[in-house]
Structures are given as C-alpha cells and as structure tokens.
Amino acid sequence: MVEGLMVKISDDQARCEFIAGILKALGHPLRFRIVAMLCDEERHVGAIAAAVNAPQAAVSSQLAILRTHGLVKSERVQGKAVYHIAEPRLHQLVECMEGCRHR
C-alpha cells in the first residue's frame, strides 16, 4: 500500500485472509450472538451464558476464540471477567447483519 492510497481489498491477498479469519470467528451462531450481545453492553461470562442458555464452559470457549481474533477483550471487575467489544467496527457489522432478511 502506498502512503495515502488504499489498495482495493480484492487486490490485497493478506487483507482478504485476515478478514476471512474474522468472518470465520463470527461464523458460529453462538459466537455471533455473543458479539451482538456485547455490542449492546459489556457482560460477564455467567450473564452471557444465562442469556444464551448455554453452559458457561461453552461460552468461555467461544469467548476465547473471539479474544484470539482481537474481537473482544476482558477486564476484571469485582473479581469477574467482564467482556466488551474490542473492535469498534463490529457494531456496524452487527447492525448491517440485522438488516439481512431471514429466509
């Protein structure tokens, strides 16, 4: 990429691979639900598990994948890991996906 000029995404293999990795991370229904939930408000693992009706261990595993891709972060608040969105543009992506019609 030349400074000040953006290379079209279709011409940038490395960027396409990076984005595909993000989309794979979001491609699991439970992970996408978690991200959508965290776009609304930060939550601890127990609250997420209760909201999605899934075991806490399963939610923790999914959060680890999202964390690995840099999509969510956690911080300790009163002894609990509280998760929040790390990539601000996820808000736009979730909003865009909400506009897609269910078939």
Side-chain angles (χ1 to χ4, degrees), residues 10 21 23 27 29 32 34 36 42-44 52-53 62 66 68 70 73 77 87 92 98 103:
S10 60
L23 293 173
F32 192 81
I34 291 168
E42 60 184 29
R43 296 177 186 219
H44 61 84
V52 298
N53 196 27
Q62 302 305 327
L66 294 169
T68 298
K73 286 185 180 178
V77 176
E87 172 50 65
Q92 292 171 297
E98 286 177 337
R103 295 180 190 237

Side-chain angles (χ1 to χ4, degrees), residues 56-73:
Q56 191 165 326
V59 170
S60 291
S61 295
Q62 302 305 327
L63 284 165
I65 293 167
L66 294 169
R67 220 176 27 250
T68 298
H69 284 85
L71 303 176
V72 300
K73 286 185 180 178

Side-chain angles (χ1 to χ4, degrees), residues 1-16 19:
M1 177 168 28
V2 178
E3 190 174 327
L5 296 176
M6 282 290 268
V7 175
K8 287 175 47 176
I9 196 166
S10 60
D11 295 332
D12 190 338
Q13 178 69 26
R15 192 165 167 222
C16 285
I19 291 168

Side-chain angles (χ1 to χ4, degrees), residues 23 52 81 83 90 100:
L23 293 173
V52 298
Y83 285 84
L90 281 179
C100 292

